[in-house]
Amino acid sequence: MTIIYAILIFCFLIFVHELGHFAVAKFCGVKVNEFSVGMGPALFKKQKGETLYSLRVFPIGGYCAMEGEDEDSDDPRAFNNKPSWQKACVLAAGSFMNFVTCVVLLIVIAFYAGTATTVIDKVDAGSPAAKAGIRSGDTIVAVDGKEVTEWKEIIETIGYSKSDKATVTVERNGQRTDCETALEFDKESGRNMIGITSKSIRSPGTAVSQGIKNTGTLTGLMFKTIKQIFTGDVSVKELSGPVGIVYVTNEAAKSGIINVVYLAALLSLNLAIFNMLPFPALDGGRLLFLGIRRITGKRVSDEIEGKVHFIGICLLMLLMVYVTFNDVFRFIL
């Protein structure tokens, strides 16, 4: 199942990325010679119109081969003969689709998990909350006199209190009651607990808001990590390739399908950001050349740019070999 999950995630994210390039290229009238999911020998090929659609053996890549993408072409529908703004849209479409995929998956997760409310769903028997008279169905409105409207505020106020007790104000049958409860420190979570569980609700609007918010948080963390790699605060040895991803997929699968979906969202965002880095062969590198050529005119030919991107592909392949070698030692040997 781990292998199946990993292959499905790889194929899905690659398909979404290349579909972005393909859809915008077709919309802009660019001639697409081949749309492929996977690399290596073809398992399936079908010619439809001017485009060859293929599914290939190794689910570690894919491509949308456009006329005039890496070479000069006289075809008026070739990529190299299109206006700069259309080229930029085509190049950015793949990462944009991966970003949107991440948002959608995180929205699905947020809706599935539900949103914690201030209403108490369960009170553990014999817990400090039970001894204080707090009941299931109560709504917590304040802690130590401070009004609370979200579950996370309750966790922060109770969980990290320096005192050994707290006054929890609950609303029950329209009446407010103050319940004084002891606080028990939980070593595993690293915070105080009183033995209550929140009642969750599933709200599409809240799920959308939470999904977008979580995507923004993850994006910030990824850019921070990239910065730390360049500053040396994070070693390149910490990077992972396909082997590492399969290992992490296995760990996620042990905890349930929802964690596999979360991993897919994380990888999709990773793919979106990585592809937009200004490095040759990546979409970001192609956008960089597009800007350079816009400023310098024809001083940089399609042939020269193609050669630079080829060097970039070789360097990326070397990086892939390096991280795979590290992954084998970390996760297998």
Side-chain angles (χ1 to χ4, degrees):
M1 287 306 299
T2 296
I3 298 298
I4 292 173
Y5 280 141
I7 290 175
L8 287 175
I9 290 173
F10 278 132
C11 289
F12 173 66
L13 297 183
I14 292 164
F15 172 76
V16 167
H17 183 90
E18 297 304 329
L19 182 63
H21 291 311
F22 175 79
V24 176
K26 286 288 189 179
F27 181 80
C28 293
V30 177
K31 182 181 179 181
V32 180
N33 296 323
E34 183 176 358
F35 178 74
S36 172
V37 175
M39 305 292 281
L43 293 173
F44 168 82
K45 291 193 296 184
K46 182 177 177 60
Q47 184 76 36
K48 187 174 181 181
E50 65 184 21
T51 306
L52 175 68
Y53 299 87
S54 63
L55 178 65
R56 299 182 178 272
V57 174
F58 304 112
I60 56 172
Y63 54 88
C64 174
M66 296 174 285
E67 179 73 20
E69 183 180 5
D70 292 315
E71 72 286 330
D72 293 318
S73 175
D74 296 327
D75 191 322
R77 294 182 57 219
F79 179 79
N80 63 300
N81 293 322
K82 291 294 179 179
S84 296
W85 70 269
Q86 290 189 355
K87 292 180 183 178
C89 288
V90 172
L91 291 172
S95 289
F96 176 76
M97 283 293 286
N98 280 129
F99 186 83
V100 170
T101 299
C102 174
V103 174
V104 171
L105 291 178
L106 290 180
I107 289 173
V108 170
I109 292 171
F111 183 77
Y112 175 85
T115 303
T117 66
T118 56
V119 178
I120 299 172
D121 181 50
K122 180 183 176 183
V123 179
D124 296 338
S127 65
K131 293 176 182 177
I134 298 174
R135 304 174 191 172
S136 174
D138 287 349
T139 300
I140 298 178
V141 294
V143 177
D144 289 334
K146 181 182 178 183
E147 295 286 324
V148 292
T149 57
E150 295 182 7
W151 182 251
K152 67 177 182 179
E153 293 176 333
I154 297 171
I155 291 177
E156 290 172 358
T157 306
I158 292 177
Y160 304 104
S161 173
K162 300 299 183 182
S163 178
D164 58 355
K165 60 182 179 179
T167 300
V168 178
T169 305
V170 300
E171 189 173 281
R172 181 188 307 155
N173 300 323
Q175 298 292 323
R176 288 196 172 196
T177 304
D178 289 335
C179 302
E180 190 171 286
T181 175
L183 303 181
E184 290 184 351
F185 184 77
D186 182 73
K187 292 182 179 179
E188 187 176 343
S189 62
R191 59 183 175 83
N192 302 316
M193 288 189 174
I194 60 174
I196 57 175
T197 305
S198 166
K199 184 177 182 179
S200 296
I201 58 170
R202 287 190 171 97
S203 166
T206 304
V208 170
S209 174
Q210 195 65 36
I212 294 173
K213 181 179 178 181
N214 290 342
T215 302
T217 301
L218 287 175
T219 301
L221 288 173
M222 285 190 180
F223 276 114
K224 182 179 179 181
T225 301
I226 292 172
K227 179 182 177 181
Q228 289 175 329
I229 290 173
F230 280 102
T231 57
D233 294 330
V234 173
S235 172
V236 180
K237 292 182 179 180
E238 298 300 317
L239 297 176
S240 283
V243 174
I245 291 172
V246 171
Y247 176 84
V248 175
T249 302
N250 178 61
E251 294 300 307
K254 291 177 182 178
S255 303
I257 188 65
I258 200 68
N259 285 314
V260 176
V261 176
Y262 182 79
L263 176 62
L266 193 62
L267 291 174
S268 187
L269 183 60
N270 196 304
L271 187 61
I273 294 174
F274 179 76
N275 265 283
M276 292 306 290
L277 294 178
F279 187 83
L282 298 178
D283 295 332
R286 294 179 182 277
L287 282 170
L288 178 63
F289 264 96
L290 189 62
I292 292 172
R293 296 180 68 176
R294 181 73 177 174
I295 296 171
T296 62
K298 291 290 184 179
R299 293 181 183 178
V300 180
S301 66
D302 293 326
E303 184 179 357
I304 292 174
E305 183 180 346
K307 289 179 179 179
V308 173
H309 290 317
F310 177 76
I311 294 171
I313 289 174
C314 293
L315 292 174
L316 288 174
M317 288 298 178
L318 287 174
L319 177 63
M320 178 68 73
V321 171
Y322 174 77
V323 297
T324 301
F325 181 80
N326 279 338
D327 284 349
V328 169
F329 271 87
R330 274 198 296 170
F331 302 124
I332 298 177
L333 300 181

